[in-house]
Amino acid sequence: MDVTNNARSNHSLKRRRPQSPDDDIDNDATHSPPPLHSNGAAAALDVDLSLLEAIEKSQSAAVEVLDLKTLKKLVLAFERRLRDNIEARLKYPDNPDKFADSEVELHEELLKLKLLAGGPELYPELVNLNTVPSILGLLNHDNVDISIDVVSLLQDLTDEDVLEDNDEPARVLVESLVENNALELMVQNLFRLNEGDSDEMAAVYGTLSIIENMIEVKPNVAEIVCEKTKLMRWLLGKIKVREFDGNKQYASEILAILMQNSTANQKRLGQMNGVDVVLQAVAMYKSKDPKSSEEEEMLENLFDCLCCLLMPLENKERFVKAEGVELMIIIMKQKKSAYSSAIRALDFAMTKYPPACERFVDVLGLKTAFAAFMGKIPMSKKQKKESYQEELEERIISIIASLFDGILRGSRRERLLSKFIENECEKIDRLMEFYMRYSNRVKAESERLDKLDLDDLEMDDDEKYNRKLESGLYVLQLIAVIIGHLWSSDNSRMQARIELLLKQNKLTRGDIKDILQEYYDNIGDLDGPEEKERAQTKIQKFISAF
């Protein structure tokens, strides 16, 4: 393990769903038949809606048991209406009045298929009946309202509550959807939907919901949808829009989900100018706060996306070129709600990337970072002070460790070291305060693990080490490395201050050496043998200096 790695995992990207554009509408209400759009050259249909609703309710009441026989009846009726509509459109392509009735009937059969969401155990049979291709084919129907019906149907069939505890049927359905080009067809339809229309706006939300549900069942859908479709391009276009709405929030969440745990997607979005687009989206909040909790969550999603994007080296380079470092410092100085997210993004950007560290010093980031290091962190009533402040302090410690690791010599190094001398070495005092806090936590966890061993709940050494890392050893190692850099600078004032503080806390240099030695012994080769050797050489130098 390398202490410059960001061991703190990103908080889960799975959050409560953004509010659907039609959440205030009763979902059980009967949909009215789709009007034929002007592109179908049809006039509005004259339909007795109350009569139609009564018929539908009587038909629904007749279906008491959802079994294989019922499934086959529903599918057969749907296939007949689909065939009738295709034939009518082929026979009378320029006379919408001639195929209007078949369109209404097709709409009704699609609504009836929603009953299948009540019996997900029948999904494998639905797939075996080869109905999925017929349903998906309607996503590019000339009448966009029919495609909206399909989106609504798929949204119901893949709903997370419906699929819960139905893992195998869910897998069968999702695999069939992927095999029959559902992703490609849904994204193509997404581009033709007009969010100025309320029904089409709801269908946009529905499409994003289906994609999220499919990823939940089959995680590699996240990479498949980016390989085979232009979804990422659509999502980037959506987050660029200045006006906020529920679909923009959902787009930001889907983008963050696609970036999570997928290096391929992170690199692909970077190549699409994604770093710059996401920076532009967060820049809207550099000097203002979101107006609602939904908008606040969208901003959080955008920063989640940005942090994932900053994992590949090439995207760190794009971040620096796009003046991302400067933007994050401006956000910190403005002390708005994005303050903590800006620190998190800087932590990702500067880890193992010296050019970002150099830019940070050049644009006067040290003053802002060390203000946070000394505890001058803006708080709001919403934030739980202790946990919020502690997370930010750990991020700042990580940033300072990255600065020392990325800036080895020259005037920038001198400016960094001078921060620990100014004001009678107050920052060394603060560093030692952090050292004692995390040292006590790790000691308590070690004693707890030793007691577990005595109770015959034995763990291997790797598991014990990981437990200690989670309890605070990771941050303690970062602090020990920073102290190592300070001591190795051969500055007598800093060395004297460190000696004094160790003595006051009944510690010796040997205690810091022990932390560094444990770190040295556990450095892995995840980044390759050369990086491992470099890290070990650096730590060995500190151990020898002490």
Side-chain angles (χ1 to χ4, degrees), residues 449 458-468:
L449 293 173
E458 293 188 9
M459 299 181 186
D460 60 31
D461 290 342
D462 285 345
E463 190 173 353
K464 279 186 179 179
Y465 184 69
N466 286 330
R467 292 285 184 92
K468 286 163 67 179

Side-chain angles (χ1 to χ4, degrees), residues 56 173 204 384 409 520:
E56 279 191 4
L173 176 63
V204 168
K384 293 179 181 178
R409 60 187 63 84
Y520 178 93

Side-chain angles (χ1 to χ4, degrees), residues 57-74:
K57 285 176 183 175
S58 65
Q59 289 174 335
S60 297
V63 181
E64 295 179 357
V65 181
L66 185 58
D67 54 15
L68 182 57
K69 184 178 178 182
T70 307
L71 169 65
K72 289 180 177 178
K73 281 183 179 178
L74 289 168

Side-chain angles (χ1 to χ4, degrees), residues 224-252:
I224 294 171
V225 73
C226 294
E227 287 170 10
K228 294 189 172 183
T229 78
K230 295 180 179 179
L231 177 62
M232 286 204 294
R233 191 166 298 285
W234 186 91
L235 293 170
L236 285 177
K238 185 64 183 173
I239 66 169
K240 281 168 74 172
V241 177
R242 295 194 70 85
E243 294 76 20
F244 173 78
D245 60 34
N247 283 348
K248 183 177 180 182
Q249 180 196 350
Y250 208 174
S252 69

Side-chain angles (χ1 to χ4, degrees), residues 58-205:
S58 65
Q59 289 174 335
S60 297
V63 181
E64 295 179 357
V65 181
L66 185 58
D67 54 15
L68 182 57
K69 184 178 178 182
T70 307
L71 169 65
K72 289 180 177 178
K73 281 183 179 178
L74 289 168
V75 167
L76 182 61
F78 161 70
E79 293 286 1
R80 281 175 177 164
R81 298 308 182 196
L82 173 58
R83 182 194 61 204
D84 292 347
N85 180 243
I86 291 171
E87 289 177 353
R89 275 186 166 268
L90 287 172
K91 192 172 182 180
Y92 307 105
D94 300 320
N95 192 351
D97 288 340
K98 295 288 188 181
F99 56 73
D101 289 343
S102 70
E103 217 110 303
V104 173
E105 290 165 351
L106 178 59
H107 161 79
E108 301 306 337
E109 293 305 327
L110 284 168
L111 286 183
K112 290 175 189 174
L113 286 177
K114 286 186 166 201
L115 291 170
L116 299 178
E121 67 279 359
L122 292 171
Y123 288 178
E125 294 299 333
L126 178 70
V127 171
N128 290 337
L129 290 169
N130 205 31
T131 313
V132 172
S134 299
I135 294 171
L136 294 177
L138 292 173
L139 282 167
N140 59 16
H141 195 280
D142 287 346
N143 183 351
V144 72
D145 289 286
I146 294 295
S147 75
I148 290 174
D149 288 336
V150 175
V151 169
S152 181
L153 169 61
L154 294 176
Q155 188 179 0
D156 282 8
L157 296 181
T158 61
D159 185 273
E160 59 182 343
D161 293 332
V162 171
L163 298 184
E164 191 176 7
D165 300 325
N166 287 283
D167 294 348
E168 183 58 21
R171 184 191 62 79
V172 171
L173 176 63
V174 170
E175 286 186 352
S176 177
L177 290 173
V178 173
E179 288 169 10
N180 288 285
N181 306 316
L183 297 169
E184 294 92 325
L185 291 165
M186 283 193 296
V187 174
Q188 286 171 16
N189 189 52
L190 201 55
F191 277 95
R192 74 167 175 165
L193 293 173
N194 171 22
E195 292 187 76
D197 178 278
S198 60
D199 289 339
E200 295 185 35
M201 186 180 188
V204 168
Y205 175 92

Side-chain angles (χ1 to χ4, degrees), residues 154-380:
L154 294 176
Q155 188 179 0
D156 282 8
L157 296 181
T158 61
D159 185 273
E160 59 182 343
D161 293 332
V162 171
L163 298 184
E164 191 176 7
D165 300 325
N166 287 283
D167 294 348
E168 183 58 21
R171 184 191 62 79
V172 171
L173 176 63
V174 170
E175 286 186 352
S176 177
L177 290 173
V178 173
E179 288 169 10
N180 288 285
N181 306 316
L183 297 169
E184 294 92 325
L185 291 165
M186 283 193 296
V187 174
Q188 286 171 16
N189 189 52
L190 201 55
F191 277 95
R192 74 167 175 165
L193 293 173
N194 171 22
E195 292 187 76
D197 178 278
S198 60
D199 289 339
E200 295 185 35
M201 186 180 188
V204 168
Y205 175 92
T207 301
L208 298 179
S209 177
I210 297 163
I211 292 169
E212 182 182 9
N213 294 337
M214 289 175 69
I215 292 171
E216 188 70 20
V217 173
K218 189 178 171 71
N220 71 335
V221 166
E223 291 196 351
I224 294 171
V225 73
C226 294
E227 287 170 10
K228 294 189 172 183
T229 78
K230 295 180 179 179
L231 177 62
M232 286 204 294
R233 191 166 298 285
W234 186 91
L235 293 170
L236 285 177
K238 185 64 183 173
I239 66 169
K240 281 168 74 172
V241 177
R242 295 194 70 85
E243 294 76 20
F244 173 78
D245 60 34
N247 283 348
K248 183 177 180 182
Q249 180 196 350
Y250 208 174
S252 69
E253 182 175 346
I254 296 298
L255 197 58
I257 290 170
L258 294 175
M259 293 302 103
Q260 193 180 28
N261 303 323
S262 173
T263 302
N265 285 352
Q266 292 159 7
K267 291 182 175 181
R268 189 177 284 112
L269 193 64
Q271 291 163 0
M272 295 169 61
N273 200 34
V275 174
D276 198 49
V277 172
V278 175
L279 284 174
Q280 289 175 35
V282 302
M284 298 180 198
Y285 299 91
K286 66 183 177 185
S287 56
K288 70 172 184 177
D289 285 332
K291 295 177 181 177
S292 65
S293 59
E294 290 79 14
E295 194 170 358
E296 191 174 324
E297 189 162 338
M298 181 202 69
L299 183 57
E300 204 175 323
N301 290 336
L302 290 172
F303 272 104
D304 283 341
C305 182
L306 180 60
C307 291
C308 290
L309 268 174
L310 288 170
M311 299 295 278
L313 187 66
E314 57 264 42
N315 286 344
K316 293 177 190 279
E317 183 180 353
R318 293 182 176 108
F319 178 81
V320 172
K321 284 184 177 177
E323 299 185 353
V325 173
E326 289 89 331
L327 176 60
M328 296 305 115
I329 292 172
I330 288 170
I331 291 172
M332 287 178 67
K333 286 179 177 178
Q334 293 292 328
K335 298 181 180 179
K336 297 296 182 181
S337 63
Y339 177 89
S340 60
S341 297
I343 291 176
R344 186 158 61 101
L346 284 169
D347 188 15
F348 276 86
M350 293 164 67
T351 298
K352 295 184 180 177
Y353 192 60
C357 299
E358 292 168 359
R359 178 69 65 86
F360 186 82
V361 175
D362 290 345
V363 297
L364 309 179
L366 291 178
K367 182 179 178 181
T368 308
F370 276 99
F373 179 75
M374 294 304 294
K376 296 173 183 175
I377 293 173
M379 295 284 176
S380 73

